[in-house]
Each structure stands twice: as structure tokens, then as C-alpha cells.
Amino acid sequence: MTAPAAESRRAARRSRVTSAGSLVATAWAFYVAVTLAPVLAVAGRGLARLVAGDAEAWGLLLPSTRRLWLLVDSLAASLAVTAFTTIIGMLAAAAFLRRIAAGDGAAPRGASLLPAALILWAITPPYLHALVGMEAGNALAAALRAIGLTVAPAQWPGWLAAFAAQAFALLPISLAAASVGLLGVGRAEFEAGRMLAGRGRVFLRVVLPLAAPATAAGAAAVFVLALLDHATPSLFGRASHAMEIVAEHAATRLAWRAAILALPLILIAGLAIAAASIAVRRGGRALTGTVAMRIAEARPLGPSPVAESLAAAIVLGYAALFVGLAAAGLGLGTALPRLIWEVRRDLATTLVDAVLAGLLALGPAALIGWHLAAGEGRAAGRTVVGRGAAWVVVLLPLAVPPALIGVGIAEVLADHAPMALRTSPLVAIWAHLARFLPFAVLVVHAAVRRVDPALIDAARLHRPSAPARWRRIEGPLSMSGLVAAFALVFCGAVGELEATLLSAAPGAGLLSMRVFNYLHYGASDTVAALGLVLGAIVWVAAVTALRAIGRRRGGEP
């Protein structure tokens, strides 16, 4: 090969590398601008006042007795939800997995149904679980009145109703995490433990330590989501520290005050996410093969058959209650189609916004997910500090209260955008991306890590250009992750409420906002019907995505 030809090939190679690097840099810039920039803008103003010694700012950071007790109460409530879901999730997961493994020829079918059921449960908007609690409270109050006890639904403790709504909304996360942890316990480890000790000791000394990293990750996710949620407690008249952010901004219209109030929640949530990430990286086990294969290999042992059966009964009982109330919504007859026609504009806006949010998330999620996975695969080529900083950028938005995200978006738009943009549907799309783009990145990253690195290395020997490499190699290999990421953002956007409420213009036509506003007046046939419509949208989208992923994997769960 002549010198000019060799130089030409080297120049072409450098051009391809530069092109790929530009795409990744653009994806990171988009991610930061969408998820972190609004929060950093308002938090920066608050921090500047703190550095300047502003007494008003320090008065917000150092809470009064009322705010301190409110923070403690919010932490206690979140910990209670976390403890309940973790314990019930572990026990119920052991019962379900053992039942699936013991079925004659039913393992593949059960192994497909369990993840699908958990996904459908997890993507259901949380305030629909609040609606279930209201309906159940009405039914219980009616039953008590029938036997002579006059108890109104409003007299039930708000903390108990909020706890139940949050716990059952977040329970599938703990169930899924516990299932992953239990499936990581191999047959050899299980049999070795059973030879030396009884069931309870094997669970405590063998099964629980091996399942702890995945279980801890699920517990951290539940804790953070419960701590940052202000919508569900507010429906039952229960105060929370996250709601204090909303109240402060509504009273003063000063975003920096809301940002300072949010700092304790961001710090606590960030520590929980960091602890879970460290636990997973140090002790987590990568699951290989299909779910059915893992169930056949693993030994999902729980501490007590009675406790496992009770936990499974709680999970199945609530699922039956939810399905029953959803089926009751179908009994509205001609009222349901008429109601859908009345809210057709809100419904259309909701669907269009969700689709656009899902499509806009795909590119950045794919590029960042592959970039993170490539960095892990070539650890020697990147510093530990660089990888750590990248993960901090990805995970930090998950520690920010959704209320502050909404306040940040509204503040940035008020300062820099014309009125036409501030009142456009793009505001809601921005809020949806800020909430769910981090989850999309994590989904794509998880899918990429399941790809055999030898396939990618073999294909890259041909040195294709960056677009060709993505079109022919990386895109097809990560298609399942892309489908899952789009479905996750779409379903989340359909039901998203907390950030949208504080950023969208008054009167924005979104179905989730209409349902939430109606819920403040209690459960009714109208609320139940609209909730059923919202639920049906996300369930159909999730089932469609699951079927597409299943066909791509050849029907394997």
C-alpha cells in the first residue's frame, strides 16, 4: 500500500471516530439540557444566595420545627412503604417462583406471565391506585353503615390511605427486584446450604445475602419514589416535604426558594441511589439465559411457607380488587363512549405528546446507553473518575423531586421563552422527557449489556462509518432495548402528573391532569371511567411492546 493511500485510510478512520464522538457528545448535551439544566438554573440561584450569606435563604435551608418534623414524617412514611413492599415482595416472589418451577410444563408460560404482569402493574399511573383506595373505602364504609356503623370515607386516616396507595403502586418494583435476586441463587449454593441447616437458616445465611444486592436496589427505588411523590399523599390530605416545595412556589412564585427546600430531599435520595448502585456493582449477579431457564436452575426459597402464602394472598387479593374495579368501569355501558368523546381533545393531546416524547428519547437513550456500556467494556481506556461522572449525570435527575423539575422548566421558560412557547404542548413534552429519559437510558444500557461483545467486535473489524455501524450493527442488536425504552417513556408520559402540573400552562389539555383534578372531589363514575381509559392506553402500549420484544427474541421470555 502506497503512503498516500495509507494516509487516506487513516484520515477516513479519524473522520469516522470524530463523527461518532460528535453524535455521542450531542446526545449528552441534549440529556443535560433536558433533565438537569432547568433544575441547575433554579438551584444555582438558591446556592448563590446561600454563599452570599442571605438570611432568608439560610432560614429555608435550616428548617423550622414544623418543616423538620414534616421531613422526619416524610422519611418515616417512605421507610414504612419501603419496608412493607420489600418484605411482601420477597415473600411473594419466593412463592410465585417456586410455584412456577413446580408446575408441570408450565414454567415457560408462568415465566412469561409473571414479568408481564409486574410490568403492567408498574406502569399503571399511581393515582389510579389512589382511586382504588377511594373506591375500596367507599365500599367498606357502605358495608359498615349496613350493619349500623356510620363511618364516612373521609374519616379514614389520611396517612393510612396514602400509605396503602403508595405501597401497592410501588409493590411491583420490589417484587421484580426480589425475583431477580432469588433467580441469582444457584442450585449448587442452595443444595450446599440445605445439607447443613434448615429452611430458615438457609434463607437467612445463603439466599438472602445472595439476593441482597437486587433487593436493595428495589428497596432504594421504592424509597426514592415514595419520598419524592407529592401527588398521592395530597389526594388524601396528608402533608409531605415534597408537597412543601409545591406550596412554597405557589405562595411566593420564587423558584429559588423551592430549590432550597428541595435540597434535603435531593441529598437523601441521591445517597439512597448511590448506595444501591454500589451494592449492585459489588455484589450483583448478571442473569444469563431466559427467565424459564433461570427458574429451572435457581432455588427460590423463602423463610416460611405460611408467610409466603400470606404475602402471595395479599398481592393476588389487591390485583383482584384492582381488576374488579377496572371491570366495573366497563359496566358504564353507553356512558363510557360518550365520556371518551367528550374528552377526545385531551385524549388526542395526551397521545401525541406521549408519542413525541418517546420518539425524542430514543436517539439520546441509544447513544448514551451504548456509550456507557462501551466504557465498561473498555475500562482501561477510560478513567474511573470519567465513568463515575457519567453515571452521576445519568442518575442525578432521578434524585430530583418531580415538583422541582416542573418549577425549573416553568422558570426557564418564563425567563427566556416567548409566550407562544410557554403555552404550547412542547412544555409537557419537555416535562415528560425530563422525568423519563434517565429511565430510557438505563433500559437501553441494560439491553446492550446482554449483547455478546464478540458480535460487536467481529462486526467492527470491517470499520464501518458511525451511521452504518449503528444501522447495521448496534441498532439491530439493541432493538429490544429501544422498543422497551420507547414504551417506558410513552407509558410514563401518558400518566405523568407532578412535573407537568407545575410547568404546563393553565388549562393544558392532558387527560392525566383532568383525572387528578377530579380525584380531589372523591371517587365517582366519571373518574373511574377516565382512569380506565388512561390505564387501557398504557396497558395496550406495554403489551404491544412485550409482544414485539418476544417476537424479536424468538418467543423466549
Side-chain angles (χ1 to χ4, degrees), residues 139-164:
L140 182 58
L144 292 176
R145 286 196 297 269
I147 61 175
L149 297 177
T150 56
V151 179
Q155 292 176 316
W156 297 106
W159 66 266
L160 180 60
F163 166 82

Side-chain angles (χ1 to χ4, degrees), residues 119-163:
I119 290 172
L120 293 178
W121 189 343
I123 53 94
T124 301
Y127 43 87
L128 297 189
H129 296 279
L131 174 61
V132 170
M134 292 179 182
E135 292 283 7
N138 289 338
L140 182 58
L144 292 176
R145 286 196 297 269
I147 61 175
L149 297 177
T150 56
V151 179
Q155 292 176 316
W156 297 106
W159 66 266
L160 180 60
F163 166 82

Side-chain angles (χ1 to χ4, degrees), residues 71 93 131 171 239 274 287 289 325 353 358 410 412 417 446 482 499 501 538:
L71 178 60
L131 174 61
L171 182 55
L287 299 182
L325 291 175
D353 285 2
V412 169
L482 293 176
L501 273 175
V538 297

Side-chain angles (χ1 to χ4, degrees), residues 195-270:
M195 291 175 63
L196 302 175
R199 179 191 187 100
R201 294 178 62 129
V202 172
F203 176 79
L204 292 176
R205 297 190 176 186
V206 177
V207 176
L208 191 58
L210 292 175
T215 305
V222 170
F223 173 76
V224 170
L225 292 173
L227 180 66
L228 303 184
D229 176 22
H230 77 267
T232 304
S234 70
L235 288 173
F236 299 98
R238 179 181 168 274
S240 66
H241 197 278
M243 188 63 197
E244 193 75 4
I245 300 171
V246 180
E248 182 67 31
H249 184 256
T252 65
R253 310 306 298 178
L254 296 174
W256 65 266
R257 293 178 63 91
I260 292 178
L261 284 178
L263 288 178
L265 294 184
I266 295 174
L267 177 61
I268 295 169

Side-chain angles (χ1 to χ4, degrees), residues 518-542:
Y518 284 169
L519 276 173
H520 281 89
Y521 301 99
S524 66
D525 290 343
T526 300
V527 177
L530 291 177
L532 179 61
V533 172
L534 271 178
I537 293 172
V538 297
W539 297 330
V540 170

